[in-house]
Amino acid sequence: MRRLRNVGLSLFVFTLMLMIAACSNSVAKPAAKTGETYNFKLAHITPTDHMWHKAAEKFKKELDQRSDGRMQLEIYPASQLGTEADMVQQISSGSVDFGFITAAYMSSRAESFTAWFAPYLFKDLEEANAARDTEVAKKILGSLDEQGIKGLDYLFAGSRVMLFKDKEVKKPEDMKGLSFRVTQSPPLQDYYKSLGASPESLPLPEVYAAIQTGVIDGMDMDLDATITNKYHEVAKYGAVTNHMVWPSVAMINKVTYEKMSDGDKKIIDDSIKAAADFAVKTRSAQEDEFKKTLSDKGMKIYEIDEKLFDPYIKKFDEKYEQTDPVIKEFIETFRK
Ligand code: BEZ
C-alpha cells in the first residue's frame, strides 16, 4: 500500500514538473518579443507614388515583422518636414530618426558623395546597385559619422534624364545658354555649366511652375519623378541620357543607432537592405514602361549618343579625382 502511495506521489511530482516546464515554455515565447519598443520617424521629399516612398513603406513593414511589432515607423513624405537641409538637421539632432536624402544634396555636406555623379560611370542600374556593397561605397557612408549621422545604405530611383520645355536638344552644344534646373549639388551644377547651360538650383516642389511659366527651359530629372510630378504636361522633350545614377542615402541618427542592442541594429540593417533591394529590383523593371507612359502622354522620348559627352566626362573626372581620394578610388574602381 505504501509502495502504491509512493508511486502515486512520484507520478504527482512528475506531472507537476511537466506542468511547470510547459508553463515556463509558454512564458519563453513572448520573451522573444520583449525588448525595447520604438516609434521611429522617417522623412523624405518625394510624393507617395515615387519609388522612394514605396521603399519607405517596405522598410516600415520589414521593421514591424522582424521586430515582432516592437519597431513602428511613421513616414513623412513629400517634404512635409521641410527641405532636405531641414531634414538632415532634424536627423542629426535626433528629432527625426531616419531619412532618405538625395546623395546629390548630401554631396554639398560631405564631398565624397560627389563620386556617385561621375557622368556615365555605370552601364545601368544593376551595375550601380552592385557598387552599393563595395568598401569604397561604404567609406562614403562613413563620412557622415562626424555629422551625428549613420549612413545605412543607398536606394536607387533610376538614372538621370534631361527634360526640355520646347527645344529638342540633340547634342551638348545645344545646351548653351539654356536655363536649366539642377538639384543644389556642386558636381551636378558643375557638369551642366561645363555643357554650357545656366544651372538653376530649384527644389523639387518649385520645378513644375518654373518650367510652366518659362523661368527655366529644362531640367535634370529621373523618369519616375517625371511621371509622379506630371512634367510631361509642361515639357515636350525627354532625352533619356541616363547620364548619372540617382541614389538616396538611407540614414539614421547616430546616437539612436548606437544605443541599440546588436540584435536591434541587425533588424535595422536587414530591413533597410530589403527595402533597397526591393527599390532597385522594381525600378529596373520599369524603364520601358515609364518611357512608354511618357510617350503616350505626348512627350517626345529620344536618346543622345553618349560618345558626344566624352570630353565632359573627362573634364569631370580630372577635376574631382583631385578633390578627394575617395572620389578618385570610386571613379578608378568603376570607370571601364
Ligand atoms: C530631384 O530633386 O530632382 C529629385 C529628388 C528626389 C527624387 C527625384 C528627383
Side-chain angles (χ1 to χ4, degrees):
M1 186 67 187
R2 200 162 49 192
R3 240 181 103 193
L4 213 64
R5 219 180 308 138
N6 282 348
V7 170
L9 192 66
S10 307
L11 260 175
F12 174 73
V13 171
F14 182 67
T15 313
L16 199 65
M17 280 169 67
L18 274 181
M19 280 169 69
I20 289 170
C23 246
S24 62
N25 255 347
S26 72
V27 170
K29 267 187 205 147
K33 293 188 180 181
T34 60
E36 189 92 34
T37 58
Y38 304 88
N39 288 304
F40 293 128
K41 289 182 187 162
L42 181 149
H44 68 82
I45 60 170
T46 57
T48 51
D49 43 3
H50 189 272
M51 180 46 65
W52 286 347
H53 185 72
K54 291 175 191 154
E57 284 176 333
K58 169 85 174 154
F59 179 49
K60 175 184 170 95
K61 198 165 144 203
E62 292 285 329
L63 285 178
D64 184 31
Q65 283 174 353
R66 288 169 194 263
S67 69
D68 277 326
R70 287 186 299 109
M71 293 186 184
Q72 294 301 309
L73 181 71
E74 212 171 322
I75 306 169
Y76 295 85
S79 303
Q80 276 175 24
L81 299 188
T83 62
E84 292 201 306
D86 298 327
M87 291 176 208
V88 175
Q89 203 279 327
Q90 289 153 5
I91 296 161
S92 173
S93 72
S95 61
V96 171
D97 306 287
F98 291 96
F100 292 171
I101 307 291
T102 60
Y105 171 68
M106 292 315 292
S107 70
S108 64
R109 298 186 59 113
E111 183 154 34
S112 57
F113 283 96
T114 295
W116 285 103
F117 303 104
Y120 298 98
L121 190 60
F122 301 104
K123 182 170 62 55
D124 52 32
L125 210 48
E126 281 83 4
E127 208 178 277
N129 186 50
R132 233 173 87 203
D133 267 341
T134 58
E135 278 313 307
V136 64
K138 288 179 188 157
K139 265 189 219 170
I140 297 175
L141 291 177
S143 70
L144 296 179
D145 278 13
E146 60 198 36
Q147 300 187 32
I149 292 171
K150 166 138 180 86
L152 294 167
D153 209 332
Y154 301 94
L155 288 101
F156 289 93
S159 300
R160 297 306 269 187
V161 301
M162 299 181 194
L163 308 182
F164 303 100
K165 183 174 169 66
D166 43 31
K167 176 177 177 180
E168 183 174 352
V169 165
K170 293 183 174 153
K171 53 186 184 311
E173 293 73 31
D174 296 343
M175 297 285 294
K176 202 167 171 53
L178 292 188
S179 167
F180 205 74
R181 181 270 170 170
V182 182
T183 309
Q184 190 187 5
S185 159
L188 269 81
Q189 304 256 328
D190 235 26
Y191 178 65
Y192 280 102
K193 266 189 216 150
S194 81
L195 293 176
S198 304
E200 294 289 335
S201 58
L202 295 174
L204 204 54
E206 291 172 28
V207 175
Y208 186 98
I211 191 158
Q212 188 180 39
T213 55
V215 171
I216 52 171
D217 303 307
M219 66 180 89
D220 178 271
M221 196 45 64
D222 67 60
L223 289 178
D224 193 345
T226 302
I227 296 170
T228 56
N229 291 293
K230 299 189 177 16
Y231 295 135
H232 49 83
E233 294 174 353
V234 284
K236 290 199 193 100
Y237 299 99
V240 183
T241 44
N242 288 336
H243 53 282
M244 288 171 189
V245 288
W246 193 246
S248 70
V249 183
M251 57 181 73
I252 180 173
N253 173 273
K254 193 160 176 267
V255 175
T256 303
Y257 184 82
E258 281 174 357
K259 276 200 308 213
M260 287 181 185
S261 66
D262 286 349
D264 283 355
K265 281 181 188 153
K266 183 163 162 39
I267 291 176
I268 302 287
D269 296 348
D270 292 348
S271 300
I272 205 73
K273 182 176 179 328
D277 288 345
F278 160 80
V280 79
K281 200 167 157 220
T282 314
R283 185 56 192 81
S284 296
Q286 288 170 321
E287 190 75 3
D288 289 339
E289 175 199 324
F290 283 177
K291 285 196 259 185
K292 182 169 179 332
T293 301
L294 289 168
S295 228
D296 290 348
K297 288 181 186 294
M299 184 179 263
K300 178 167 179 189
I301 296 294
Y302 64 103
E303 289 173 16
I304 307 179
D305 184 3
E306 180 185 325
K307 286 239 165 318
L308 300 176
F309 294 91
D310 278 353
Y312 307 96
I313 299 172
K314 194 161 176 275
K315 198 168 170 187
F316 184 100
D317 286 3
E318 278 171 6
K319 172 169 180 181
Y320 284 103
E321 279 182 345
Q322 283 173 30
T323 61
D324 185 321
V326 178
I327 300 177
K328 184 171 162 57
E329 185 184 344
F330 195 89
I331 294 177
E332 280 176 357
T333 306
F334 301 112
R335 181 75 73 208
K336 284 169 191 134

